[in-house]
Amino acid sequence: MKMSPRLKSGTVLIIGLVTIFVVGWFIYRAAIPPTWLRDFGAEIALRATPDPAAPLPEDSRQETPRGLAPHPYICVANVVKDPAWDKLVFISTDLPLRDQPILAQATWPKGLFERFAGELERDNRYQLVALVKDNVVVDAQLFYTFWAQLDAVVRPEGYSPANAVFVAEVKNGTYVLLPAPDAPANICARK
C-alpha cells in the first residue's frame, strides 16, 4: 500500500496542528474577562486595606505590596472607560437576577439574561457586575466571590459614574468591596 505524497510530506499533520491552535486560541480568548473587569479587580486588590489579624505569609509569593496607591478609593468611572455606561449594577449571591429592578427591566443581548440568571441560581460562587446605558445592558460579566465579595455594594438603584466610589478591605483572606460614603468630593477627578 502506497501513501499519498501529501500524507508522506506531513501536510495533514501541519494542517491539523494549525487547526487545533486556531480553535484553541478562539476558545481561550472567549474565556478571558474583558479589560475593564480585570482592571476593576486589580483596583480592588491594590487599594484594599489589609486584614490586621491576618497570619504572616508563608513565603514571598503570598505577600501583597501595600501603600502603592495614592488613596484607598476605587473610582469605577476611572477604571471602566469602555464601554460607555450610566448605571453600574451589582448582583451578589443573595439576590436573584430576576429580582433586580434595573436589570430585569433593561434590554439585554439575546439570551444573555437567561444565561446569567441560570448561572447565578446554580452556583453561589458567582456574582454579576453589569453596565447599563439608557436602559440597555452594554456589558455584564460574572464576578467570582474569590475575587471579592460584593454583598455590601448591592443596591436596587445601582450606581451612576459619579457615585460609583468604593473602598475595599481584606476580611478572612477575602477582598470585600464596600461603599465609600465619606469619599472626598473630587477624589475621582482625573489628573
Side-chain angles (χ1 to χ4, degrees), residues 91-125:
I91 300 290
S92 71
T93 58
D94 299 334
L95 179 70
L97 179 56
R98 295 171 194 356
D99 292 346
Q100 206 297 330
I102 291 176
L103 296 179
Q105 296 170 8
T107 303
W108 285 73
K110 186 175 171 85
L112 203 56
F113 181 85
E114 289 303 321
R115 188 184 117 214
F116 281 140
E119 290 283 347
L120 292 166
E121 290 168 6
R122 277 191 298 281
D123 195 334
N124 64 359
R125 294 175 299 171

Side-chain angles (χ1 to χ4, degrees), residues 21-22 34 53 59 63 67 83 89 94 106 109 112 125 150 167 172 177 188:
F21 175 75
V22 169
D59 68 30
E63 193 161 326
V89 182
D94 299 334
L112 203 56
R125 294 175 299 171
L150 302 178
V167 293
N172 300 322
L177 193 65
C188 294

Side-chain angles (χ1 to χ4, degrees), residues 5-134:
R6 283 189 183 176
L7 290 176
K8 203 175 201 180
S9 68
T11 303
V12 172
L13 178 64
I14 299 298
I15 290 171
L17 289 173
V18 168
T19 303
I20 289 170
F21 175 75
V22 169
V23 169
W25 175 251
F26 283 106
I27 291 171
Y28 171 72
R29 286 192 50 173
I32 298 173
T35 302
W36 70 263
L37 190 65
R38 292 191 314 265
D39 290 348
F40 181 55
E43 281 289 302
I44 292 171
L46 175 68
R47 297 175 187 282
T49 305
D51 184 351
L56 292 174
E58 295 173 14
D59 68 30
S60 62
R61 294 173 294 177
Q62 296 174 331
E63 193 161 326
T64 303
R66 297 287 173 203
L68 300 176
H71 58 76
Y73 301 103
I74 300 164
C75 302
V76 179
N78 292 345
V79 175
V80 183
K81 299 168 188 79
D82 188 45
W85 56 282
D86 57 19
K87 283 282 180 216
L88 170 69
V89 182
F90 295 108
I91 300 290
S92 71
T93 58
D94 299 334
L95 179 70
L97 179 56
R98 295 171 194 356
D99 292 346
Q100 206 297 330
I102 291 176
L103 296 179
Q105 296 170 8
T107 303
W108 285 73
K110 186 175 171 85
L112 203 56
F113 181 85
E114 289 303 321
R115 188 184 117 214
F116 281 140
E119 290 283 347
L120 292 166
E121 290 168 6
R122 277 191 298 281
D123 195 334
N124 64 359
R125 294 175 299 171
Y126 294 139
Q127 305 166 105
L128 187 78
V129 179
L131 302 172
V132 179
K133 175 77 172 162
D134 299 326

